[in-house]
Amino acid sequence: MEGKIIKGIGGFYYVKTKDEIIECKARGKFRHKDMKPMVGDNVLINVSNGKGVIEEIFDRTSELIRPTVANVTQAFVVFAIKNPDINFDLLNRFLILCEYNNIKAIVCLNKVDLASEKEREEIKNKINDIGYDVLFINAKEGIGIDMLKERLKGEETVLCGPSGAGKSTLINTLINRTHMETGSVSEKIGRGKHTTRHSELIEIEEGYLVDSPGFSNIDISFMDKENLRYSFPEFEEYNHSCKFRGCLHNKEPQCAVKKALSEGEINEYRYNFYIRILEELQEGEKYKW
Ligand SMILES: Nc1nc2c(ncn2[C@@H]2O[C@H](COP(=O)(O)OP(=O)(O)O)[C@@H](O)[C@H]2O)c(=O)[nH]1
Ligand SMILES: [Mg+2]
Ligand SMILES: [Zn+2]
């Protein structure tokens, strides 16, 4: 039978199949293969007497570490339109992190109640300009939530974004839950400070939502500079048209990306941002040795 791991607790995995959720153990072979099942994994299980065993883990399309979850297909990149003000560089870091992880990014601008029509349009245009959709929401009042729910269908979605953007509020609104972050006192005592909180997938709108905002660590130093250019979707059609194979679109002559830039086909901010990140990665390399 096929299914998806939606939760893992103490060596047990809860696998959602077409009709039910089955408690499973993992086959010992995964230990040798150094491949532990993860929440989000699509798996093949064998069930007898109501007990399941995970026999096989299907290839992952993505693998996040924090939260630890596989096969996320989509991220709601949540930023407040105001309070705190949008940090555009930070937004772009999230976007390339999504691309790097093979995750589709949807920019959700929260706290629309705090901005004027004019301010909204300005920011929307700026983000559309770099090639991303924008959805305006008010997580607190539930405005724009139906639109987001529509986007959840058939996807496995994680929320990311800077602290204070409204991610926890949004998750609570989406799944109709209150105060997940603070939790009740008894829960806090029961769990203790150092217990790792495993992520869980919540079935919602014919899709799955990762129950904790995550992926908020925007350290990108693990990226390698040769692959950075693939995290800029607008470079895609030019990446292999440069004179030099492996062109990093920086100082190389006859570069198709720089040509597109000069012709206004590529956004100047984004190109400059690319160069800054590239240089940051090159700088980081020095310290590795
Ligand atoms: N005005 C306004 N405030 C909001 C909205 N959504 C969240 N907030 C507030 O923003 C603050 C940060 O929200 P929180 O969900 O904790 O953000 P997180 O750090 O991203 O999880 C809280 O005080 C929320 O009440 C909104 O749509 N409008
Ligand atoms: Mg939070
Ligand atoms: Zn080039």
Side-chain angles (χ1 to χ4, degrees):
M1 221 184 316
E2 288 184 19
K4 190 181 194 61
I5 301 176
I6 57 167
K7 189 161 113 178
I9 301 172
F12 285 100
Y13 299 94
Y14 296 83
V15 175
K16 168 89 175 72
T17 64
K18 205 162 128 284
D19 305 309
E20 55 185 336
I21 293 169
I22 299 169
E23 187 180 87
C24 296
K25 284 230 166 221
R27 265 261 175 276
K29 68 172 178 185
F30 295 121
R31 241 165 291 158
H32 305 297
K33 277 207 207 153
D34 205 17
M35 193 195 185
K36 263 182 84 170
M38 270 169 95
V39 168
D41 270 332
N42 298 314
V43 293
L44 199 64
I45 61 172
N46 207 331
V47 187
S48 66
N49 301 327
K51 298 222 181 296
V53 175
I54 298 174
E55 300 284 352
E56 205 176 323
I57 302 171
F58 294 111
D59 286 347
R60 296 166 180 156
T61 60
S62 68
E63 198 178 298
L64 297 181
I65 302 305
R66 216 177 311 153
T68 309
V69 54
N71 297 319
V72 166
T73 57
Q74 162 173 281
F76 291 163
V77 182
V78 184
F79 272 71
I81 194 162
K82 255 190 185 170
N83 191 20
D85 281 345
I86 296 188
N87 175 335
F88 223 62
D89 282 358
L90 193 61
L91 171 62
N92 278 279
R93 278 176 192 257
F94 276 113
L95 294 177
I96 63 172
L97 205 55
C98 287
E99 300 291 343
Y100 198 87
N101 284 294
N102 197 17
I103 292 169
K104 179 172 69 196
I106 296 173
V107 179
C108 304
L109 295 183
N110 188 30
K111 311 194 188 183
V112 283
D113 49 306
L114 303 180
S116 70
E117 179 80 40
K118 187 165 163 279
E119 287 171 315
R120 279 184 230 176
E121 278 309 298
E122 261 175 38
I123 294 179
K124 182 176 190 291
N125 290 338
K126 224 172 137 183
I127 295 169
N128 287 160
D129 242 26
I130 59 175
Y132 289 89
D133 281 351
V134 177
L135 300 177
F136 289 116
I137 58 170
N138 174 341
K140 225 162 144 179
E141 309 290 333
I143 296 165
I145 298 303
D146 287 346
M147 211 163 42
L148 282 192
K149 284 188 172 167
E150 200 57 45
R151 301 288 191 116
L152 289 170
K153 287 196 178 128
E155 307 279 351
E156 189 180 312
T157 306
V158 69
L159 261 65
C160 63
S163 138
K167 299 179 297 300
S168 300
T169 310
L170 177 58
I171 287 189
N172 292 341
T173 305
L174 280 171
I175 64 184
N176 237 327
R177 175 173 62 183
T178 40
H179 306 308
M180 149 192 149
E181 204 77 312
T182 39
S184 67
V185 174
S186 58
E187 203 183 343
K188 272 184 185 165
I189 293 166
R191 198 155 61 208
K193 227 169 155 181
H194 300 290
T195 321
T196 323
R197 193 166 175 284
H198 293 286
S199 46
E200 201 175 306
L201 292 184
I202 295 166
E203 283 188 84
I204 178 171
E205 304 291 323
E206 297 157 49
Y208 292 97
L209 185 66
V210 181
D211 76 334
S212 55
F215 179 33
S216 54
N217 186 348
I218 41 94
D219 174 21
I220 52 167
S221 60
F222 63 88
M223 288 187 184
D224 75 276
K225 65 179 196 301
E226 272 74 30
N227 285 323
L228 179 64
R229 62 201 151 130
Y230 299 114
S231 295
F232 287 71
E234 69 268 52
F235 292 1
E236 196 178 308
E237 58 181 297
Y238 308 106
N239 268 331
H240 296 286
S241 309
C242 304
K243 177 167 164 107
F244 294 102
R245 263 187 67 179
C247 178
L248 295 180
H249 318 318
N250 190 10
K251 307 221 161 95
E252 299 90 338
Q254 297 186 51
C255 165
V257 167
K258 282 193 283 181
K259 181 160 177 279
L261 172 73
S262 72
E263 288 166 355
E265 299 295 326
I266 282 175
N267 179 290
E268 202 176 333
Y269 167 83
R270 283 277 285 185
Y271 177 77
N272 292 334
F273 176 75
Y274 167 77
I275 294 297
R276 267 192 289 141
I277 300 294
L278 184 69
E279 284 171 352
E280 195 177 308
L281 295 179
Q282 284 166 338
E283 195 61 25
E285 265 177 9
K286 281 194 217 157
Y287 302 118
K288 278 185 192 154
W289 300 99

